[in-house]
């Protein structure tokens, strides 16, 4: 066992400059994927709870397709589809794919949070003379956003790990670098153990930060 630890340490020390750069790429992918997914998710959540059958149908089709197909297939499909129509780097193609994928899940998070608000609050705001848009923007949405923070935090963590799949289109993130190191050094166990440690540390850091943020906002009382 000590010999394995020594080998893992050697791999870590030899590769950490490259892994630090790859970590930045992973965080960029995650951030863009979540931000884009939040915008898409909010739009489709509003479509799904709208009074229009057409908008609800479009939202349901999008969510069903994205949630019913593997992310890696979506990455390949969007990558080759986008490249045929528009010249784009593999990084941005991967980030957009993550955003489109996240959008379906975040749409359901927002939908559930919005519909979870007590209907009596809507009725009370209407009785005060507010129209539907004012009720949504001033009463419902602020509370729904507060309730959405824990599941959105979980989605961020999921996206952080899912970003490893963009290695398939050549993005130099953490898993891609680990895969290359394993092939070059003929030390797959040690290389992927180092990869796992990077992901584990990132997940632990962001889980801690999200918990602090939730406690600061006192989300459980929302």
């Amino acid at each position: 066992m000590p010999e394995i630890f020594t080998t893992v340490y050697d791999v870590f020390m030899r590769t950490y400059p490259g892994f630090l750069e790859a970590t930045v790429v992973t965080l960029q992918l995650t951030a863009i994927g979540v931000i884009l997914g939040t915008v898409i998710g909010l739009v489709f959540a509003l479509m799904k709870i709208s009074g229009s059958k057409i908008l609800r149908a479009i939202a349901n089709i999008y969510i069903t397709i994205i949630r019913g197909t593997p992310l890696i297939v979506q990455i390949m499909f969007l990558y080759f589809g986008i490249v045929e129509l528009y010249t784009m780097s593999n990084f941005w193609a991967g980030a957009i794919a993550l955003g489109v994928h996240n959008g379906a899940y975040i749409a359901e998070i927002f939908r559930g949070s919005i519909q979870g608000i007590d209907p009596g609050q809507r009725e009370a705001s209407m009785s005060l003379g507010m129209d539907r848009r004012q009720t949504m923007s001033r009463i419902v949405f602020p509370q729904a956003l507060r309730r959405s923070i824990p599941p959105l935090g979980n989605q961020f963590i999921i996206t952080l790990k899912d970003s490893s799949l963009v290695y398939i289109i050549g993005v130099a993130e953490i898993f891609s670098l680990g895969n290359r190191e394993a092939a070059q050094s003929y030390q797959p166990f040690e290389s992927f153990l180092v990869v796992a440690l990077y992901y584990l540390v990132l997940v632990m850091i962001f889980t801690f930060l999200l918990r602090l943020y939730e406690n600061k906002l006192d989300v459980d009382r929302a």
Side-chain angles (χ1 to χ4, degrees):
M1 289 297 291
E3 190 174 326
I4 293 178
F5 291 143
T6 301
T7 307
V8 171
Y9 179 77
D10 290 340
V11 171
F12 174 81
M13 294 304 295
R14 185 175 67 250
T15 60
Y16 82 87
F19 270 115
L20 290 179
E21 293 181 7
T23 298
V24 173
V25 175
T26 293
L27 293 176
Q28 290 172 337
L29 285 167
T30 303
I32 295 171
V34 171
I35 292 171
L36 180 59
T38 299
V39 174
I40 295 173
L42 179 57
V43 171
F44 279 92
L46 294 175
M47 289 171 62
K48 192 164 183 180
I49 62 175
S50 73
S52 170
K53 291 183 179 180
I54 295 176
L55 292 180
R56 290 201 305 271
I58 293 173
N60 284 327
I61 290 171
Y62 161 70
I63 292 171
T64 299
I65 291 175
I66 296 301
R67 296 182 69 177
T69 55
L71 173 55
I72 195 167
V73 174
Q74 296 167 23
I75 291 172
M76 297 295 285
F77 179 80
L78 289 172
Y79 174 65
F80 288 109
I82 291 173
V83 168
E84 285 188 6
L85 299 174
Y86 181 77
T87 302
M88 181 179 294
S89 68
N90 52 3
F91 171 87
W92 280 104
I96 290 172
L98 287 172
V100 172
H101 179 80
N102 277 314
Y105 292 89
I106 294 177
E108 289 296 277
I109 291 173
F110 281 139
R111 180 197 60 77
S113 297
I114 291 171
Q115 293 183 332
I117 302 300
D118 185 0
Q121 296 191 38
R122 295 187 179 90
E123 296 171 2
S125 64
M126 294 289 190
S127 68
L128 292 174
M130 293 186 187
D131 58 27
R132 185 175 180 183
R133 179 176 298 179
Q134 290 174 323
T135 299
M136 181 64 71
S137 62
R138 297 180 184 180
I139 306 298
V140 176
F141 190 71
Q143 296 181 72
L145 182 61
R146 193 182 184 95
R147 290 187 178 190
S148 299
I149 289 175
L152 285 175
N154 291 335
Q155 192 63 36
F156 182 91
I157 300 300
I158 292 170
T159 306
L160 177 64
K161 294 182 286 185
D162 283 349
S163 67
S164 61
L165 293 176
V166 301
Y167 90 95
I168 197 71
I169 57 174
V171 180
E173 43 68 61
I174 294 175
F175 184 82
S176 175
L177 191 63
N179 197 38
R180 189 187 314 159
E181 173 63 23
Q184 292 176 350
S185 66
Y186 298 100
Q187 294 176 310
F189 176 81
E190 293 85 350
S191 298
F192 287 116
L193 181 56
V194 170
V195 169
L197 291 173
Y198 274 99
Y199 280 113
L200 180 61
V201 169
L202 288 174
V203 168
M204 291 176 66
I205 289 173
F206 283 106
T207 300
F208 175 73
L209 293 176
L210 287 167
R211 177 55 61 184
L212 284 180
Y213 187 61
E214 289 173 16
N215 291 338
K216 183 178 180 180
L217 292 179
D218 200 9
V219 173
D220 291 336
R221 292 188 181 181

Coordinates of all heavy atoms in Angstrom, one line a residue, residues 9-70:
Y9 N 1.3 9.9 -5.4 CA 1.9 11.2 -5.1 C 2.8 11.7 -6.2 O 2.8 12.9 -6.6 CB 2.7 11.1 -3.8 CG 3.4 12.4 -3.4 CD1 2.7 13.4 -2.8 CD2 4.8 12.5 -3.6 CE1 3.3 14.6 -2.4 CE2 5.4 13.7 -3.2 CZ 4.7 14.7 -2.7 OH 5.3 15.9 -2.3
D10 N 3.6 10.7 -6.8 CA 4.4 11.1 -7.9 C 3.6 11.6 -9.1 O 4.0 12.6 -9.8 CB 5.3 9.9 -8.3 CG 6.3 9.5 -7.3 OD1 6.7 10.4 -6.5 OD2 6.8 8.4 -7.3
V11 N 2.5 10.9 -9.4 CA 1.6 11.3 -10.5 C 1.1 12.7 -10.2 O 1.0 13.5 -11.1 CB 0.5 10.2 -10.7 CG1 -0.5 10.8 -11.7 CG2 1.1 8.9 -11.2
F12 N 0.6 12.9 -9.0 CA 0.0 14.2 -8.6 C 1.0 15.3 -8.8 O 0.7 16.3 -9.4 CB -0.4 14.1 -7.1 CG -0.9 15.5 -6.6 CD1 -2.2 15.9 -6.9 CD2 -0.1 16.3 -5.9 CE1 -2.7 17.1 -6.5 CE2 -0.6 17.5 -5.4 CZ -1.8 17.9 -5.7
M13 N 2.3 15.1 -8.3 CA 3.3 16.2 -8.4 C 3.7 16.4 -9.8 O 4.0 17.6 -10.2 CB 4.5 15.8 -7.5 CG 4.2 15.7 -6.0 SD 3.5 17.3 -5.4 CE 4.9 18.4 -5.6
R14 N 3.7 15.4 -10.6 CA 4.1 15.5 -12.0 C 3.1 16.2 -12.8 O 3.4 16.9 -13.8 CB 4.4 14.1 -12.6 CG 5.0 14.2 -14.0 CD 5.4 12.8 -14.5 NE 4.3 11.9 -14.7 CZ 4.0 10.9 -14.0 NH1 4.8 10.6 -12.9 NH2 3.0 10.1 -14.2
T15 N 1.8 16.1 -12.5 CA 0.7 16.5 -13.3 C 0.0 17.7 -12.8 O -0.9 18.3 -13.5 CB -0.3 15.4 -13.6 OG1 -0.8 15.0 -12.3 CG2 0.4 14.2 -14.2
Y16 N 0.2 18.2 -11.6 CA -0.6 19.2 -11.0 C -0.7 20.5 -11.8 O -1.7 21.2 -11.8 CB -0.3 19.5 -9.5 CG 0.9 20.4 -9.3 CD1 0.7 21.8 -9.2 CD2 2.2 19.9 -9.1 CE1 1.8 22.6 -8.9 CE2 3.2 20.7 -8.8 CZ 3.0 22.1 -8.8 OH 4.1 22.9 -8.5
P17 N 0.4 21.0 -12.4 CA 0.3 22.2 -13.2 C -0.8 22.1 -14.3 O -1.6 23.0 -14.5 CB 1.7 22.4 -13.8 CG 2.6 21.7 -12.9 CD 1.8 20.5 -12.4
G18 N -0.7 21.0 -15.0 CA -1.7 20.7 -16.1 C -3.1 20.5 -15.5 O -4.1 21.0 -16.1
F19 N -3.2 19.9 -14.4 CA -4.5 19.7 -13.7 C -5.1 21.0 -13.2 O -6.4 21.1 -13.2 CB -4.4 18.6 -12.6 CG -4.7 17.2 -13.1 CD1 -3.7 16.3 -13.0 CD2 -5.9 16.8 -13.5 CE1 -3.9 15.0 -13.4 CE2 -6.1 15.5 -14.0 CZ -5.1 14.6 -13.9
L20 N -4.3 21.9 -12.8 CA -4.8 23.2 -12.3 C -5.5 23.9 -13.5 O -6.5 24.5 -13.3 CB -3.7 24.0 -11.7 CG -3.2 23.5 -10.3 CD1 -2.1 24.4 -9.8 CD2 -4.3 23.4 -9.3
E21 N -4.8 23.9 -14.6 CA -5.4 24.5 -15.8 C -6.7 23.8 -16.2 O -7.7 24.5 -16.6 CB -4.4 24.5 -17.0 CG -3.1 25.3 -16.8 CD -2.2 25.2 -17.9 OE1 -2.5 24.6 -19.0 OE2 -1.1 25.8 -17.8
A22 N -6.7 22.5 -16.2 CA -7.9 21.7 -16.5 C -9.0 22.0 -15.5 O -10.2 22.0 -15.9 CB -7.5 20.2 -16.5
T23 N -8.7 22.2 -14.3 CA -9.7 22.6 -13.3 C -10.4 23.9 -13.6 O -11.6 24.0 -13.4 CB -9.0 22.7 -11.9 OG1 -8.5 21.4 -11.5 CG2 -10.1 23.1 -10.8
V24 N -9.6 24.9 -14.1 CA -10.2 26.1 -14.5 C -11.2 25.9 -15.6 O -12.3 26.5 -15.6 CB -9.1 27.1 -14.9 CG1 -9.7 28.4 -15.5 CG2 -8.2 27.5 -13.7
V25 N -10.8 25.1 -16.6 CA -11.7 24.8 -17.7 C -12.9 24.1 -17.2 O -14.1 24.4 -17.7 CB -11.0 23.9 -18.8 CG1 -11.9 23.5 -19.9 CG2 -9.8 24.6 -19.4
T26 N -12.8 23.2 -16.3 CA -14.0 22.4 -15.7 C -14.9 23.4 -15.0 O -16.1 23.3 -15.2 CB -13.5 21.4 -14.7 OG1 -12.8 20.4 -15.4 CG2 -14.7 20.7 -14.0
L27 N -14.4 24.3 -14.3 CA -15.2 25.3 -13.6 C -15.9 26.3 -14.5 O -17.0 26.7 -14.3 CB -14.3 26.1 -12.6 CG -13.8 25.3 -11.4 CD1 -12.9 26.2 -10.5 CD2 -15.0 24.7 -10.5
Q28 N -15.2 26.6 -15.6 CA -15.8 27.5 -16.6 C -16.9 26.8 -17.3 O -18.0 27.4 -17.5 CB -14.7 27.9 -17.7 CG -13.7 28.9 -17.1 CD -12.6 29.1 -18.1 OE1 -12.3 28.3 -19.0 NE2 -11.9 30.3 -18.0
L29 N -16.7 25.5 -17.7 CA -17.8 24.7 -18.3 C -19.0 24.6 -17.4 O -20.2 24.8 -17.8 CB -17.3 23.3 -18.6 CG -16.4 23.2 -19.8 CD1 -15.7 21.8 -19.8 CD2 -17.1 23.3 -21.1
T30 N -18.7 24.4 -16.1 CA -19.8 24.2 -15.1 C -20.6 25.5 -14.9 O -21.8 25.5 -15.0 CB -19.2 23.8 -13.7 OG1 -18.5 22.6 -13.9 CG2 -20.3 23.6 -12.7
A31 N -19.9 26.6 -14.8 CA -20.5 27.9 -14.6 C -21.4 28.3 -15.8 O -22.6 28.7 -15.7 CB -19.5 29.0 -14.3
I32 N -20.8 28.2 -17.0 CA -21.6 28.5 -18.2 C -22.8 27.6 -18.4 O -23.9 28.0 -18.7 CB -20.7 28.4 -19.5 CG1 -19.6 29.5 -19.4 CG2 -21.5 28.6 -20.7 CD1 -18.5 29.4 -20.4
G33 N -22.6 26.3 -18.1 CA -23.7 25.3 -18.2 C -24.8 25.6 -17.3 O -26.0 25.5 -17.7
V34 N -24.5 26.0 -16.1 CA -25.5 26.3 -15.1 C -26.2 27.7 -15.4 O -27.5 27.8 -15.3 CB -25.0 26.3 -13.7 CG1 -26.0 26.9 -12.7 CG2 -24.5 24.9 -13.3
I35 N -25.4 28.7 -15.8 CA -26.0 30.0 -16.1 C -27.0 29.9 -17.3 O -28.1 30.3 -17.3 CB -24.9 31.0 -16.3 CG1 -24.2 31.3 -15.0 CG2 -25.6 32.3 -16.9 CD1 -23.0 32.2 -15.2
L36 N -26.5 29.2 -18.3 CA -27.3 29.1 -19.5 C -28.5 28.2 -19.2 O -29.6 28.5 -19.7 CB -26.4 28.4 -20.7 CG -27.1 28.2 -22.0 CD1 -27.7 29.5 -22.6 CD2 -26.1 27.6 -23.0
G37 N -28.3 27.1 -18.5 CA -29.4 26.2 -18.1 C -30.4 26.9 -17.3 O -31.6 26.6 -17.4
T38 N -30.0 27.9 -16.4 CA -30.9 28.6 -15.6 C -31.8 29.5 -16.5 O -33.1 29.6 -16.2 CB -30.2 29.5 -14.6 OG1 -29.4 28.6 -13.7 CG2 -31.2 30.3 -13.7
V39 N -31.2 30.2 -17.4 CA -32.0 31.0 -18.3 C -33.0 30.2 -19.1 O -34.2 30.5 -19.2 CB -31.1 31.8 -19.3 CG1 -31.9 32.5 -20.3 CG2 -30.2 32.7 -18.5
I40 N -32.5 29.1 -19.7 CA -33.4 28.2 -20.5 C -34.4 27.6 -19.6 O -35.6 27.5 -19.9 CB -32.5 27.0 -21.1 CG1 -31.6 27.6 -22.2 CG2 -33.4 26.0 -21.8 CD1 -30.6 26.6 -22.8
G41 N -34.0 27.1 -18.4 CA -35.0 26.5 -17.5 C -36.1 27.4 -17.1 O -37.3 27.0 -17.0
L42 N -35.8 28.7 -16.8 CA -36.8 29.7 -16.4 C -37.8 29.9 -17.5 O -39.0 29.9 -17.3 CB -36.1 31.0 -16.0 CG -37.1 32.1 -15.6 CD1 -38.0 31.7 -14.4 CD2 -36.3 33.4 -15.2
V43 N -37.3 30.0 -18.7 CA -38.2 30.2 -19.9 C -39.1 29.0 -20.1 O -40.3 29.2 -20.2 CB -37.3 30.4 -21.2 CG1 -38.3 30.4 -22.4 CG2 -36.6 31.7 -21.1
F44 N -38.6 27.8 -20.0 CA -39.4 26.6 -20.2 C -40.3 26.4 -19.0 O -41.4 25.8 -19.2 CB -38.6 25.4 -20.6 CG -38.2 25.4 -22.0 CD1 -37.0 26.0 -22.5 CD2 -39.0 24.8 -23.0 CE1 -36.6 26.0 -23.8 CE2 -38.7 24.8 -24.3 CZ -37.5 25.4 -24.7
A45 N -39.9 26.8 -17.8 CA -40.8 26.6 -16.7 C -42.0 27.5 -16.8 O -43.1 27.1 -16.6 CB -40.0 27.0 -15.4
L46 N -41.8 28.7 -17.3 CA -42.9 29.6 -17.5 C -43.8 29.2 -18.6 O -45.0 29.3 -18.6 CB -42.4 31.1 -17.8 CG -41.7 31.7 -16.6 CD1 -41.1 33.1 -17.0 CD2 -42.6 31.9 -15.4
M47 N -43.2 28.6 -19.6 CA -44.0 28.0 -20.7 C -44.8 26.9 -20.2 O -46.0 26.7 -20.6 CB -43.0 27.6 -21.9 CG -42.4 28.7 -22.6 SD -41.1 28.1 -23.8 CE -42.1 27.1 -24.9
K48 N -44.3 26.1 -19.3 CA -45.0 24.9 -18.9 C -46.2 25.2 -18.0 O -47.1 24.4 -17.9 CB -44.0 23.9 -18.2 CG -44.6 22.5 -17.9 CD -43.6 21.5 -17.6 CE -44.2 20.1 -17.4 NZ -43.2 19.1 -17.1
I49 N -46.1 26.3 -17.3 CA -47.2 26.7 -16.4 C -48.1 27.8 -17.1 O -49.0 28.3 -16.4 CB -46.7 27.2 -15.1 CG1 -45.9 28.5 -15.2 CG2 -45.9 26.1 -14.3 CD1 -45.5 29.1 -13.9
S50 N -47.8 28.1 -18.3 CA -48.6 29.1 -19.0 C -50.0 28.5 -19.4 O -50.3 27.3 -19.3 CB -47.9 29.6 -20.3 OG -48.0 28.6 -21.3
G51 N -50.9 29.4 -19.8 CA -52.2 29.0 -20.2 C -52.3 28.6 -21.7 O -53.3 28.1 -22.1
S52 N -51.2 28.6 -22.4 CA -51.1 28.2 -23.8 C -50.8 26.7 -23.9 O -49.8 26.3 -23.4 CB -50.1 29.1 -24.5 OG -49.9 28.5 -25.8
K53 N -51.7 26.0 -24.6 CA -51.5 24.6 -24.8 C -50.2 24.4 -25.7 O -49.5 23.4 -25.5 CB -52.7 24.0 -25.5 CG -53.9 23.9 -24.6 CD -55.1 23.2 -25.3 CE -56.3 23.1 -24.4 NZ -57.4 22.4 -25.0
I54 N -50.0 25.3 -26.7 CA -48.9 25.1 -27.6 C -47.6 25.3 -26.8 O -46.6 24.5 -27.0 CB -49.0 26.2 -28.7 CG1 -50.2 25.9 -29.6 CG2 -47.7 26.2 -29.6 CD1 -50.4 26.9 -30.7
L55 N -47.5 26.3 -26.0 CA -46.3 26.6 -25.2 C -46.0 25.4 -24.2 O -44.9 24.9 -24.0 CB -46.4 27.9 -24.4 CG -46.4 29.1 -25.3 CD1 -46.5 30.4 -24.4 CD2 -45.1 29.2 -26.1
R56 N -47.1 24.9 -23.6 CA -46.9 23.8 -22.7 C -46.5 22.5 -23.4 O -45.6 21.8 -22.9 CB -48.3 23.5 -22.0 CG -48.7 24.5 -21.0 CD -49.7 23.9 -19.9 NE -50.8 23.4 -20.6 CZ -51.9 24.0 -20.9 NH1 -52.0 25.3 -20.6 NH2 -53.0 23.4 -21.4
A57 N -47.0 22.3 -24.6 CA -46.6 21.2 -25.5 C -45.1 21.3 -25.8 O -44.4 20.3 -25.8 CB -47.4 21.1 -26.7
I58 N -44.7 22.4 -26.3 CA -43.3 22.6 -26.6 C -42.3 22.4 -25.4 O -41.3 21.7 -25.5 CB -43.0 24.1 -27.2 CG1 -43.8 24.3 -28.5 CG2 -41.5 24.4 -27.3 CD1 -43.8 25.7 -29.0
A59 N -42.7 22.9 -24.3 CA -41.9 22.7 -23.1 C -41.9 21.2 -22.7 O -40.8 20.7 -22.3 CB -42.5 23.5 -21.9
N60 N -43.0 20.5 -22.8 CA -43.0 19.1 -22.4 C -42.2 18.3 -23.4 O -41.5 17.3 -23.0 CB -44.5 18.6 -22.5 CG -45.3 19.0 -21.2 OD1 -44.7 19.2 -20.1 ND2 -46.5 19.3 -21.4
I61 N -42.2 18.6 -24.7 CA -41.4 17.9 -25.7 C -39.9 18.1 -25.4 O -39.1 17.1 -25.4 CB -41.7 18.4 -27.1 CG1 -43.1 17.9 -27.5 CG2 -40.7 17.8 -28.1 CD1 -43.7 18.5 -28.8
Y62 N -39.5 19.3 -25.1 CA -38.1 19.6 -24.8 C -37.6 18.9 -23.6 O -36.6 18.2 -23.6 CB -37.9 21.1 -24.7 CG -36.7 21.5 -23.9 CD1 -35.4 21.4 -24.5 CD2 -36.7 22.0 -22.6 CE1 -34.3 21.7 -23.8 CE2 -35.6 22.4 -21.9 CZ -34.4 22.3 -22.5 OH -33.2 22.6 -21.8
I63 N -38.4 19.0 -22.5 CA -38.0 18.3 -21.2 C -38.0 16.8 -21.4 O -37.1 16.2 -20.9 CB -39.0 18.8 -20.1 CG1 -38.8 20.3 -19.8 CG2 -38.8 17.9 -18.9 CD1 -39.8 20.9 -18.9
T64 N -38.9 16.3 -22.1 CA -39.0 14.8 -22.3 C -37.8 14.3 -23.1 O -37.2 13.3 -22.7 CB -40.3 14.4 -23.0 OG1 -41.4 14.8 -22.2 CG2 -40.3 12.9 -23.2
I65 N -37.4 15.0 -24.1 CA -36.3 14.6 -25.0 C -35.0 14.7 -24.2 O -34.2 13.7 -24.2 CB -36.2 15.4 -26.2 CG1 -37.4 15.1 -27.2 CG2 -34.9 15.2 -27.0 CD1 -37.5 16.0 -28.4
I66 N -34.8 15.8 -23.5 CA -33.5 16.0 -22.8 C -33.4 15.0 -21.6 O -32.3 14.4 -21.4 CB -33.4 17.4 -22.3 CG1 -33.3 18.4 -23.5 CG2 -32.2 17.6 -21.4 CD1 -32.2 18.2 -24.4
R67 N -34.5 14.8 -20.9 CA -34.4 14.0 -19.7 C -34.4 12.5 -20.1 O -34.0 11.6 -19.3 CB -35.5 14.3 -18.7 CG -35.5 15.7 -18.2 CD -36.6 16.0 -17.2 NE -36.4 15.2 -15.9 CZ -37.2 15.3 -14.9 NH1 -38.3 16.1 -15.0 NH2 -37.0 14.6 -13.8
G68 N -34.8 12.2 -21.3 CA -34.9 10.8 -21.7 C -33.8 10.3 -22.6 O -33.8 9.2 -23.0
T69 N -32.8 11.2 -22.8 CA -31.6 10.7 -23.6 C -30.3 11.0 -22.8 O -30.3 12.0 -22.0 CB -31.5 11.5 -24.9 OG1 -31.6 12.9 -24.7 CG2 -32.7 11.1 -25.8
P70 N -29.3 10.2 -23.0 CA -28.0 10.4 -22.3 C -27.3 11.7 -22.6 O -27.4 12.1 -23.8 CB -27.2 9.2 -22.7 CG -28.1 8.2 -23.3 CD -29.3 9.0 -23.9

